[in-house]
């Protein structure tokens, strides 16, 4: 009975902790919205003039500025913007001439699909390389992984993207390098907005394969730095924990090394690595700005670059806020996973 009560208490405390984290995250997002709103408004340039072009009359420019409320003081502009956001209206884009909400609905799935594949490549690659490096400690493979980890950190994602574009777009033309689908291939019926998933759901496996080939290079470019960095962290954690007393006792029972590694060593070694992986996954949204531009990937980050270049105020604020929300969600999920893997953290948070 006491165990059941204790379990309920832990569940309640963990739920309260998650609720507290969500509330803190909402306050952070509100602060970010104020900051980016102010920064987007103080960027040099007249939004109305940029939208309508140099040949537009001053009356038309003034009318558009009034529509965007940019002729009002900043606090008044923010209040109007926040009021519209709570109504589900993110404003109108001066580039696409559509509601920013519709633009987000169109472009966000492409970025999410890119992030999911990049996160999958990063996670699987980091675990595989980290385990190999720890197994062959101080050997050739270990040295190679450590060297690549430093190279991956030092080389930005956009540099990797340019190299891949050069190699596979000019020298080895075996993988498509631009867009989400090949010319002449129709997009699948929209269910999730993710072309690979929607193609599988529709039974169009050739289209799913084409979508996978298109996402391969940009996802690999995004994942490379985090993959090697987390491989080194995984290797260090595995090496450190392999010398602890519980592993010595487990070896004394004659258990195979492969079973020790997968069953007894991976779980306690994964906590800190998963935390960093979560941060890297969320940071991919920022790195995706140039990667999407280079590969002509029609995602939210590419949309955000065009918005910044044209001072599309509503689009800029919407893109940054969405990135902040996704970053927050990823961090909360990572905290929950780490708490599940490590009972010590769970008990510390419940206390």
């Amino acid at each position: 009975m006491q165990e059941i009560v204790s379990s309920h208490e832990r569940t309640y405390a963990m739920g309260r902790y998650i609720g507290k984290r969500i509330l803190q995250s909402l306050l952070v997002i509100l602060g970010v919205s104020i900051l980016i709103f102010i920064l987007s408004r103080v960027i040099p340039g007249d939004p109305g003039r940029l939208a309508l072009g140099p040949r537009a009359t001053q009356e038309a420019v003034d009318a558009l500025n009034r529509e965007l409320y940019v002729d009002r003081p900043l606090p008044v502009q923010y209040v109007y913007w926040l009021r519209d956001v709570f109504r589900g209206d993110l404003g109108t884009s001066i580039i696409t001439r559509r509601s920013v909400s519709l633009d987000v609905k169109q472009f966000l799935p492409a970025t999410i699909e890119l992030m999911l594949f990049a996160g999958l490549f990063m996670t699987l690659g980091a675990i595989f390389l980290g385990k190999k490096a720890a197994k062959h400690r101080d050997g050739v493979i270990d040295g190679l992984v450590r060297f690549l980890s430093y190279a991956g950190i030092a080389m930005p994602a956009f540099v990797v993207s340019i190299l891949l574009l050069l190699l596979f777009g000019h020298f080895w033309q075996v993988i498509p390098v631009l867009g989400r689908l090949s010319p002449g291939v129709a997009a699948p019926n929209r269910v999730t907005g993710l072309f690979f998933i929607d193609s599988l759901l529709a039974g169009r496996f050739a289209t799913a394969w084409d979508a996978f080939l298109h996402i391969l290079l940009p996802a690999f470019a995004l994942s490379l730095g985090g993959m090697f960095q987390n491989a080194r962290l995984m290797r260090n954690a595995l090496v450190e924990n392999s010398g602890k007393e519980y592993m010595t006792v487990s070896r004394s029972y004659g258990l195979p090394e492969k079973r020790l590694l997968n069953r007894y060593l991976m779980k306690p070694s994964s906590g800190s690595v998963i935390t960093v992986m979560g941060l890297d996954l969320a940071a991919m949204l920022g790195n995706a700005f140039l990667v999407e531009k280079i590969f002509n990937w029609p995602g939210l980050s590419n949309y955000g670059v065009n918005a910044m270049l044209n001072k599309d105020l509503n689009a800029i604020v919407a893109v940054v806020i969405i990135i902040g929300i996704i970053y927050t969600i990823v961090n909360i999920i990572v905290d929950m996973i780490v708490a599940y893997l490590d009972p010590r953290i769970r008990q510390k948070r419940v206390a």
Side-chain angles (χ1 to χ4, degrees):
M1 185 67 180
Q2 290 180 350
E3 291 181 358
I4 296 176
V5 173
S6 177
S7 175
H8 286 318
E9 289 177 350
R10 287 196 298 269
T11 302
Y12 171 75
M14 184 60 70
R16 185 175 59 183
Y17 168 78
I18 294 173
K20 184 179 178 181
R21 281 296 313 275
I22 293 174
L23 180 60
Q24 291 173 344
S25 300
L26 291 175
L27 294 176
V28 170
I29 292 172
L30 181 63
V32 170
S33 71
I34 295 174
L35 179 62
I36 192 61
F37 188 89
I38 294 173
L39 290 177
S40 66
R41 262 60 180 178
V42 300
I43 297 174
D46 186 340
R49 179 61 65 186
L50 290 172
L52 299 177
R55 296 185 179 181
T57 64
Q58 188 60 42
E59 290 77 10
V61 171
D62 293 338
L64 181 57
N65 284 335
R66 284 193 298 271
E67 183 181 341
L68 297 173
Y69 304 115
V70 295
D71 59 332
R72 306 288 186 89
L74 278 176
V76 177
Q77 293 182 44
Y78 181 76
V79 170
Y80 276 116
W81 176 82
L82 195 62
R83 179 202 64 184
D84 292 339
V85 168
F86 282 117
R87 294 175 177 175
D89 181 13
L90 295 174
T92 302
S93 168
I94 62 176
I95 300 176
T96 63
R97 301 292 184 180
R98 298 189 307 174
S99 168
V100 174
S101 302
L102 292 177
D103 288 340
V104 169
K105 184 178 180 181
Q106 176 182 345
F107 295 116
L108 181 59
T111 296
I112 291 178
E113 185 175 38
L114 180 60
M115 282 184 56
L116 290 176
F117 273 92
L120 182 65
F121 293 164
M122 179 185 68
T123 303
L124 296 180
I127 293 174
F128 175 78
L129 293 174
K131 289 171 66 174
K132 285 293 183 181
K135 183 178 180 180
H136 302 279
R137 180 181 178 183
D138 297 327
V140 176
I141 296 178
D142 187 19
L144 181 61
V145 169
R146 280 186 286 179
F147 170 77
L148 291 176
S149 68
Y150 294 122
I153 296 171
M155 187 176 295
F158 74 89
V159 175
V160 178
S161 299
I162 294 173
L163 292 175
L164 292 176
L165 188 65
L166 178 64
L167 290 175
F168 291 95
H170 181 68
F171 295 107
W172 308 324
Q173 299 180 12
V174 293
I175 300 177
V177 295
L178 299 177
R180 297 183 73 185
L181 289 173
S182 299
V185 178
N189 293 329
R190 187 185 179 100
V191 179
T192 64
L194 314 181
F195 281 3
F196 181 76
I197 301 298
D198 289 349
S199 299
L200 292 179
L201 292 176
R204 296 174 54 183
F205 301 109
T207 304
W209 177 248
D210 187 70
F212 173 75
L213 291 179
H214 277 79
I215 204 172
L216 195 59
L217 293 181
F220 181 73
L222 266 181
S223 67
L224 196 62
M227 180 193 303
F228 289 130
Q229 178 187 7
N230 288 291
R232 181 172 60 88
L233 294 176
M234 176 65 75
R235 176 260 182 203
N236 292 341
L238 290 172
V239 169
E240 180 182 353
N241 288 326
S242 66
K244 291 187 176 179
E245 185 176 350
Y246 78 95
M247 288 298 297
T248 304
V249 173
S250 299
R251 288 191 183 94
S252 67
Y253 288 112
L255 296 175
E257 283 294 327
K258 185 176 181 180
R259 184 179 180 186
L260 289 173
L261 176 63
N262 294 325
R263 185 168 182 179
Y264 298 105
L265 196 55
M266 281 296 296
K267 187 174 180 179
S269 302
S270 300
S272 59
V273 181
I274 289 176
T275 302
V276 177
M277 280 185 180
L279 296 175
D280 287 339
L281 180 62
M284 285 179 185
L285 276 169
N287 295 332
F289 276 88
L290 291 178
V291 173
E292 287 190 359
K293 198 70 178 174
I294 292 169
F295 289 103
N296 196 27
W297 188 263
L300 189 70
S301 296
N302 197 351
Y303 173 74
V305 171
N306 294 328
M308 293 175 189
L309 293 176
N310 293 277
K311 200 180 179 182
D312 192 346
L313 303 180
N314 292 326
I316 292 173
V317 178
V319 169
V320 175
I321 294 302
I322 290 171
I323 289 176
I325 292 173
I326 295 177
Y327 197 95
T328 299
I329 292 173
V330 169
N331 275 278
I332 292 175
I333 293 174
V334 167
D335 283 348
M336 296 172 64
I337 294 174
V338 171
Y340 170 77
L341 292 175
D342 193 340
R344 295 170 300 176
I345 297 178
R346 201 160 57 235
Q347 293 170 2
K348 188 181 298 184
R349 289 175 175 174
V350 168

